[in-house]
Amino acid sequence: MPWSNQTGKGGGGGGPWGQGPQGPRPGGNNSPDLEDILRRGQDRLRRAMPGGSGSGGSGGGLAIAGLAVAGLAVVWLMNAVYTVQPDEVGVELLFGKPRQELSEPGLHFVMWPFETVETVPIVENQITIGSGQRGVDSSGLMLSGDQNIVDVQFAVLYAVEDPRAYLFNVQDPQSLLRQVAESAMREVVGRRPVEDVFRDDRAGIAEQVRQITQTTLNAYGTGLVVNAISIEEAAPPSEVADAFEEVQRAEQNESQFIEEARLYSNEQIGRAQGEAVQVREDAAAYKDRVVQEAQGDAQRFTAILEQYRRSPAIVRERLYLETMESVLGNSNKVIMDRQTSGGSGVVPYLPLNELQQPRQPGAAGPAGATGQASAPANVSARAPAVSAGTSTATTTLGQGSNR
């Protein structure tokens, strides 16, 4: 509504607030009118159109319509024609419902906007859980079965098996996969000792986590398949790393001592077993020797008994001589003929055993003479005893000879 038609209480020419628009002030800038700006813009647009004029016409309207149709055609072609990359598959939707056929890599066409398409990558992907940055990501901190805290970093290798389920069954499959894999890893680590996580059974833990993760994803119908799970790093938290290394060294020393003790035990047991075998063999040999000797003695006694029954005197004489030979063979003895002693029965004593001993240094000289001088006294003193013994021996020999 023009300002000129607004009248106020104070007279004509006033604005709605009682004062009309004022003319340009002397020396000031003239502000352009908004209606004039719009009008001039429309005129320039008409002149820019083919066949247009300042006053407009039917030719300008047709040109605008043609441009609009061409633009719509371009937009339609851009949405109707699509390309599927070699590492993707396409899922066509008719009024939002997916078709059973999948679009292979290449150029395809749909009736847009009634039909649309969604592309899904089918290559193997990887997500890493537990970045290993202490204090930043705590998803890798887990409690083992023996009440130890371990920081586990592992990777999940997965691929899309069912594109339709991947697109429409779960809102965010990657986030769900991350949560399920982390939960499965916590479950398995919580049932195992920390040594299995560090080095003893990493492969077994990874396979068990993969099975649990795949079972859970199938229950949700995500259309994902877990190809492998790899434990990249497992270490204690940095706050207790030093203490844990001390414990590890102590356990290694314990294992070393146990192994050394086992080797020593095996060595001692082997040696004792060898000695036992030797003792048993010696005992068996002694047994055989004693038995054979006893059997030989029995056979010899039996043979002598047969000979004794045939000729007792000869066998008795033979046994006596053999017995005396065995008794007197190893003893020191002096044999003197009775006829050479003069028949008096007194045998002079001569210390033959002492004379046979080597002479000590310094024994020669007067001491030796003294020893020789004292010999007759000793001989006379011991003569009766020796005489008695000699006569007894002579009698025994005589009796033996009579036999």
Side-chain angles (χ1 to χ4, degrees):
M1 181 179 296
W3 289 99
S4 60
N5 294 332
Q6 302 295 333
T7 59
K9 297 181 180 181
W17 292 279
Q19 184 178 2
Q22 300 177 358
R25 297 181 181 179
N29 296 330
N30 295 327
S31 300
D33 191 359
L34 182 59
E35 294 180 359
D36 293 339
I37 294 174
L38 293 177
R39 189 179 301 109
R40 285 194 296 268
Q42 292 175 359
D43 292 341
R44 292 176 182 175
L45 183 59
R46 292 192 188 99
R47 288 193 299 269
M49 292 298 179
S53 59
S55 60
S58 60
L62 293 175
I64 294 175
L67 290 175
V69 171
L72 292 175
V74 172
V75 173
W76 184 82
L77 287 175
M78 292 177 61
N79 289 276
V81 179
Y82 67 95
T83 303
V84 179
Q85 300 298 327
D87 56 348
E88 297 177 342
V89 293
V91 180
E92 296 183 356
L93 308 177
L94 178 60
F95 296 107
K97 182 179 180 180
R99 291 183 175 181
Q100 296 298 325
E101 299 82 6
L102 299 177
S103 300
E104 298 298 329
L107 191 64
H108 299 272
F109 176 81
V110 293
M111 294 298 296
W112 185 83
F114 307 106
E115 293 180 341
T116 57
V117 65
E118 295 286 345
T119 59
V120 178
I122 59 174
V123 296
E124 188 177 64
N125 299 303
Q126 175 180 338
I127 60 174
T128 302
I129 301 175
S131 62
Q133 298 179 358
R134 308 297 191 268
V136 177
D137 186 6
S138 61
S139 59
L141 294 178
M142 303 178 186
L143 186 66
S144 63
D146 52 0
Q147 305 300 316
N148 286 315
I149 298 178
V150 58
D151 192 354
V152 181
Q153 179 180 352
F154 64 99
V156 182
L157 302 178
Y158 70 97
V160 178
E161 185 180 28
D162 188 354
R164 288 181 293 271
Y166 175 80
L167 290 173
F168 302 107
N169 288 351
V170 180
Q171 182 178 2
D172 191 357
Q174 286 83 2
S175 177
L176 178 62
L177 174 61
R178 176 182 293 273
Q179 295 175 7
V180 171
E182 180 180 348
S183 176
M185 181 63 73
R186 292 182 182 277
E187 177 184 353
V188 175
V189 171
R191 296 198 300 259
R192 296 292 193 93
V194 70
E195 295 298 332
D196 290 352
V197 184
F198 286 153
R199 58 177 180 271
D200 292 346
D201 195 15
R202 280 194 177 187
I205 293 176
E207 178 61 22
Q208 191 172 359
V209 172
R210 189 198 67 81
Q211 294 177 359
I212 296 175
T213 304
Q214 187 63 60
T215 302
T216 307
L217 293 178
N218 293 340
Y220 282 104
T222 58
L224 297 175
V225 55
V226 180
N227 296 328
I229 290 181
S230 174
I231 300 178
E232 298 179 351
E233 182 181 359
S238 59
E239 294 80 3
V240 296
D242 296 338
F244 189 83
E245 290 177 358
E246 291 291 337
V247 174
Q248 294 297 314
R249 283 193 291 268
E251 292 180 353
Q252 292 176 0
N253 293 335
E254 179 185 4
S255 302
Q256 180 181 357
F257 294 154
I258 292 175
E259 187 64 24
E260 292 177 357
R262 185 180 295 108
L263 293 176
Y264 178 77
S265 174
N266 295 336
E267 180 181 358
Q268 295 299 323
I269 291 175
R271 183 181 303 172
Q273 291 177 351
E275 293 177 355
V277 171
Q278 183 178 359
V279 170
R280 286 195 294 268
E281 292 178 353
D282 294 343
Y286 176 76
K287 173 184 176 182
D288 295 338
R289 180 172 59 82
V290 172
V291 170
Q292 291 176 2
E293 290 178 355
Q295 291 176 353
D297 294 341
Q299 293 176 0
R300 185 170 60 255
F301 179 80
T302 303
I304 294 174
L305 179 62
E306 294 294 333
Q307 296 295 331
Y308 182 79
R309 289 175 179 175
R310 294 176 183 177
S311 55
I314 297 175
V315 174
R316 187 183 301 110
E317 182 70 19
R318 177 183 174 184
L319 292 176
Y320 175 77
L321 294 176
E322 290 178 354
T323 303
M324 294 304 297
E325 180 181 1
S326 63
V327 171
L328 300 177
N330 297 326
S331 61
N332 295 327
K333 49 192 173 296
V334 177
I335 301 176
M336 299 181 66
D337 190 1
R338 180 178 299 178
Q339 297 177 0
T340 59
S341 61
S344 60
V346 177
V347 179
Y349 175 76
L350 184 63
L352 297 179
N353 293 334
E354 296 179 359
L355 293 177
Q356 290 177 358
Q357 295 180 357
R359 180 174 298 177
Q360 297 180 358
T370 305
Q372 293 177 358
S374 61
N378 293 335
V379 170
S380 60
R382 298 181 182 179
V386 174
S387 174
T390 305
S391 60
T392 303
T394 304
T395 303
T396 304
L397 291 174
Q399 294 175 359
S401 59
N402 293 331
R403 293 179 185 177

